[in-house]
Amino acid sequence: QAVDWLSERGYDRDYGARPMKRLFQREVQNLLAVELLQGKHPPGTVVEVDAAGESLVFRAVAAPESRKRKAR
């Protein structure tokens, strides 16, 4: 759903997909960086991006401990 959400908002009839970079920075990179700085996702956590209405949401799908166990 996040891909659809981004593609709908990142396309402009005149500029094509050029606005996608700014949209991705604003809606994904910046918001995820804030959550990381707030400590919501510890180092090594896998974070999934999904669409929820008019915004994107970030959800931890794997904690660092579970990733280490899988690697063994």
Side-chain angles (χ1 to χ4, degrees), residues 11-42:
Y11 176 79
D12 181 272
R13 188 175 185 159
D14 295 325
Y15 298 107
R18 289 181 187 164
M20 179 65 70
K21 180 180 178 181
R22 286 188 297 277
L23 177 70
F24 189 84
Q25 287 174 328
R26 186 177 64 246
E27 299 294 335
V28 178
Q29 291 178 331
N30 293 351
L31 296 178
L32 183 57
V34 169
E35 288 193 6
L36 291 171
L37 290 171
Q38 292 172 342
K40 291 184 178 181
H41 310 289

Side-chain angles (χ1 to χ4, degrees), residues 1-10 20 23 49-51 56:
Q1 288 182 350
V3 172
D4 293 336
W5 190 94
L6 288 165
S7 63
E8 288 171 10
R9 288 159 180 81
M20 179 65 70
L23 177 70
V49 182
D50 201 1
L56 295 175

